[in-house]
Amino acid sequence: MIRLFCYFLCVLALTRGAIAQEVSSDPVPTLLISIDGFRPDYMERGITPYMNVLAAQGAHGALNPSFPTKTFPNHYAIVTGLRPDRNGIVGNSMIDPHRPGAVFSLGDATQSRDPFWWDEAEPIWVSAEKAGIRTATAFWPGSEVSIHKVRPRDWLRYDRDISNQQRVEAVLDWLRRPAAVRPYFITLYFDNVDMAGHRFGPDSQEVNDAIADVDAMIGYLVDGLRQMDRTVNVVIVSDHGMAATDEVKAIQLDELIDRESYIAVETGPYATIEPAAGTDRRVYDALLKPHDHMACYEREKFPPELHYGHNPRVAAIICLAKPGWVILSGPSPYPLSPGGAHGWSNAMPEMHALFIASGPTIKQGADVGLMDNIEVYPLLEKLIGLHADVDIDATGKPAEKILVK
Ligand code: AMP
Ligand code: ZN
Ligand code: ZN
């Protein structure tokens, strides 16, 4: 009963303003929201009234993330239309033969804020700024970096202690501005669903609390838009899903190879391994043989449907764990029982990600099924009114089905 009442209020709030058509000659701003680690089936838990209304008002479906199903590669794929192998962000951690000894990682700002790692592709905010369209970001991987010498006109330094409400307030402030200084492409990022998923597992009460919190923030955002009578396109995505882990399902690399003989660039649901002495056959021999709970490949022989392994930044050997299993080199960075992880093949349904789009030119009630996450890029281009002079992997076909002709 309470839930029904809330749905009624939410529908009322949403239909009375923000996403409704409005007579105005200003372009409609596009807001791209990422809820890190949000699985599409979380929408069926009965705790996301605001998001369910947005989905019903517009298009919804699921995203097939790019491999590896990790945060940085997929956020960059969504805003570049290029899979990680071609956008250059091949992992949350990576190496590059042109920068021997250096490791890109989320915790190392010296590397992660260096344009060297990002310049292989052009994110949509850079193309938009170059075309004279003003942009702003309340977090997005890469948005703090001067890529092709351009940053969003307004951007915030990533800080997980900036509350979700503060992030939403920043977006509302940008949209409240007069038309001439208003951004027309904005990003907003939430990390608490992913963090709860890692610590407590996808079926935990803590994940449900985080989902409800983010949904309430989306309601707060929509209400703020209604109060300022601002029409926007809202595209809500996630980068990947989340699956439960178990401490008995751990593969220890130390039991197969000496720690000194390799560098584990990434570990977890998949591992990328570089032999310490470039051509060390012992590492290849120990890993490339059959294993019970993982399969290892030389990067050139990685399954082609995962579109991965051609970029020189991918380490020499890629090991893919079976669903639920993780590959470790020493202790796990996250608790495994209970716990959650992502990074497995995108063929695993639990790795699928969220897609909702709502706005005046988006078909109402369109169910787009499962689409590759690189296809979000052509949709954003159309919504912003941008035709960037960049090469992309996306086809643009799903965007045609989502938009009103
Ligand atoms: P993952 O290990 O793939 O789940 O990465 C998720 C984590 O990435 C989040 O919990 C954040 O701590 C981190 N993160 C997300 N966005 C950024 C950013 N823009 N800069 C640095 N770290 C980030
Ligand atoms: Zn993520
Ligand atoms: Zn995560």
Side-chain angles (χ1 to χ4, degrees), residues 71-72 92 106 141 144 158 160 189 194-195 198 334 342:
T71 298
F72 270 45
N92 278 353
L106 307 194
E144 304 164 41
Y158 175 72
R160 60 166 71 171
Y189 169 80
D194 178 75
M195 288 196 281
H198 283 295
Y334 295 112
H342 50 87

Side-chain angles (χ1 to χ4, degrees), residues 54-69:
L54 280 179
Q57 282 183 338
H60 67 278
L63 295 180
N64 187 28
S66 303
F67 186 83
T69 53

Side-chain angles (χ1 to χ4, degrees), residues 2-325:
I2 292 171
R3 192 170 287 158
L4 258 181
F5 182 62
C6 179
Y7 263 92
F8 176 72
L9 285 183
C10 299
V11 173
L12 200 70
L14 286 170
T15 49
R16 285 191 55 198
I19 315 299
Q21 288 264 18
E22 163 189 287
V23 183
S24 161
S25 56
D26 299 333
V28 176
T30 296
L31 174 56
L32 175 65
I33 303 175
S34 164
I35 313 173
D36 200 311
F38 193 110
R39 248 171 38 187
D41 60 284
Y42 290 173
M43 295 279 292
E44 292 154 26
R45 292 187 177 184
I47 50 177
T48 51
Y50 291 103
M51 290 169 66
N52 286 94
V53 171
L54 280 179
Q57 282 183 338
H60 67 278
L63 295 180
N64 187 28
S66 303
F67 186 83
T69 53
K70 290 277 188 168
T71 298
F72 270 45
N74 278 288
H75 277 87
Y76 212 43
I78 290 165
V79 295
T80 61
L82 288 169
R83 295 193 177 91
D85 229 13
R86 293 224 295 146
N87 73 31
I89 303 298
V90 302
N92 278 353
S93 299
M94 54 184 165
I95 52 174
D96 189 300
H98 296 107
R99 202 170 263 205
V103 180
F104 172 104
S105 73
L106 307 194
D108 178 356
T110 315
Q111 293 298 331
S112 70
R113 291 185 201 152
D114 186 332
F116 168 81
W117 298 100
W118 302 90
D119 273 346
E120 286 189 14
E122 182 166 292
I124 196 156
W125 61 79
V126 171
S127 308
E129 290 284 352
K130 283 183 177 174
I133 300 167
R134 193 170 178 129
T135 69
T137 50
F139 310 147
W140 199 273
S143 61
E144 304 164 41
V145 185
S146 172
I147 300 171
H148 298 177
K149 302 198 168 31
V150 178
R151 278 201 182 92
R153 197 80 60 93
D154 295 282
W155 58 277
L156 303 179
R157 173 82 68 216
Y158 175 72
D159 179 350
R160 60 166 71 171
D161 291 333
I162 295 180
S163 72
N164 286 348
Q165 185 167 342
Q166 286 172 305
R167 301 173 196 200
V168 173
E169 298 285 7
V171 170
L172 289 172
D173 283 346
W174 287 325
L175 287 168
R176 209 172 277 122
R177 287 179 179 172
V181 287
R182 190 181 303 150
Y184 288 93
F185 174 73
I186 299 175
T187 70
L188 171 62
Y189 169 80
F190 298 113
D191 38 20
N192 53 328
V193 173
D194 178 75
M195 288 196 281
H198 283 295
R199 280 196 67 193
F200 304 104
D203 299 315
S204 61
Q205 183 57 44
E206 287 82 353
V207 163
N208 285 351
D209 292 345
I211 294 168
D213 170 68
V214 168
D215 186 69
M217 282 301 120
I218 289 174
Y220 182 71
L221 171 79
V222 169
D223 195 45
L225 293 169
R226 184 180 57 78
Q227 282 177 30
M228 70 176 92
D229 210 12
R230 180 82 62 239
T231 300
V232 295
N233 298 305
V234 179
V235 179
I236 308 179
V237 298
S238 64
D239 47 354
H240 50 71
M242 183 70 66
T245 51
D246 187 329
E247 62 201 0
V248 299
K249 293 185 179 172
I251 304 153
Q252 262 303 343
L253 289 176
D254 287 350
E255 290 170 14
L256 298 168
I257 36 179
D258 295 336
R259 189 80 67 86
E260 294 71 39
S261 65
Y262 70 98
I263 300 159
V265 181
E266 292 254 21
T267 56
Y270 82 104
T272 45
I273 292 150
E274 190 73 16
T279 53
D280 192 339
R281 274 321 305 177
R282 284 173 310 162
V283 177
Y284 285 88
D285 293 344
L287 292 178
L288 296 178
K289 65 182 189 195
H291 301 274
D292 289 341
H293 304 295
M294 70 172 179
C296 298
Y297 307 83
E298 288 174 273
R299 68 167 191 215
E300 297 79 10
K301 295 183 185 155
F302 201 55
E305 64 275 16
L306 294 178
H307 303 279
Y308 193 67
H310 299 284
N311 193 303
R313 290 179 177 174
V314 178
I317 302 168
I318 310 163
C319 297
L320 200 47
K322 290 205 169 144
W325 286 78

Side-chain angles (χ1 to χ4, degrees), residues 322-363:
K322 290 205 169 144
W325 286 78
V326 292
I327 305 163
L328 300 176
S329 174
S332 168
Y334 295 112
L336 295 174
S337 303
H342 50 87
W344 288 281
S345 162
N346 51 15
M348 186 176 160
E350 290 99 318
M351 293 300 100
H352 290 167
L354 177 71
F355 175 77
I356 298 171
S358 180
T361 54
I362 290 162
K363 276 187 202 156

